[in-house]
Amino acid sequence: NNTFVQNSSGLYLGGSGSPVVSNTIVVSNTGDGINGPGSSVLAYNNVLNNGDDYAGGLTQGGDTDIL
């Protein structure tokens, strides 16, 4: 459970593996909302109104994300 609101960027998932992000609010950041590898697991997040909501290897949120 994390909140990233109105920053220059939201959440950066560096390194390799399959990071898990859940129950997180990422809203109104001027840069990327969530930037991470395509293997990331996203669930129950609220990601909207960022420069780019998803970046890096991520093309969209998880099936349970609130968009």
Side-chain angles (χ1 to χ4, degrees), residues 7-54:
N7 297 292
S8 58
S9 61
L11 180 59
Y12 175 75
L13 308 170
S16 60
S18 299
V20 176
V21 178
S22 62
N23 301 314
T24 298
I25 299 168
V26 185
V27 178
S28 299
N29 297 289
T30 56
D32 298 334
I34 301 178
N35 183 326
S39 60
S40 301
V41 178
L42 306 175
Y44 301 101
N45 301 298
N46 187 348
V47 181
L48 62 119
N49 296 331
N50 299 289
D52 285 316
D53 287 333
Y54 301 97

